[in-house]
Amino acid sequence: RKVYERCLAGQEKVLGVDHKQTLATVNNLGNVYQRLKDYEKALECYERALKGNEKTLGKTHPETLGTVMNIAIVYDDGLKD
C-alpha cells in the first residue's frame, strides 16, 4: 500500500491528477485496499478513478468499465448499496 501511495503522490505531481497512468495507480491502490478488506477506502479510490476515467477516456472505454466492475465487486464483497 505504501509503495502505491508513494507512486501516486509522484504521479499526481509530475503527470497530474487526471493523467491515465495516475488514474491506473488510483485503481490499483483500490485493489490493494479491497484485498485488505478496507472496502470504504477501496470504493473511494475506485470512485476517484471512475470520475477521472469518464472525464479523460469516456464512459464506454474498457478501463472505465473495468473500474465500474471493481465498484460492483466491492459492493458484492463487503458493502451494501
Side-chain angles (χ1 to χ4, degrees):
R1 174 180 59 93
K2 290 183 181 197
V3 174
Y4 275 112
E5 290 171 345
R6 180 178 175 190
C7 180
L8 179 59
Q11 288 175 329
E12 288 172 334
K13 185 175 181 179
V14 174
L15 302 174
V17 295
D18 285 332
H19 189 276
K20 180 180 174 179
Q21 189 59 45
T22 304
L23 295 171
T25 300
V26 171
N27 189 71
N28 290 339
L29 184 57
N31 293 337
V32 170
Y33 282 124
Q34 188 171 349
R35 279 186 237 120
L36 294 171
K37 300 193 184 309
D38 189 340
Y39 299 115
E40 294 291 336
K41 288 219 181 215
L43 186 59
E44 183 181 308
C45 289
Y46 291 147
E47 287 177 343
R48 176 181 166 192
L50 178 62
K51 182 178 177 182
N53 284 336
E54 286 179 339
K55 178 180 173 184
T56 60
L57 302 173
K59 291 184 177 190
T60 60
H61 190 279
E63 288 185 41
T64 304
L65 297 174
T67 303
V68 171
M69 178 61 75
N70 288 341
I71 290 170
I73 293 169
V74 165
Y75 279 109
D76 190 50
D77 281 354
L79 291 177
K80 303 296 181 210
D81 50 354

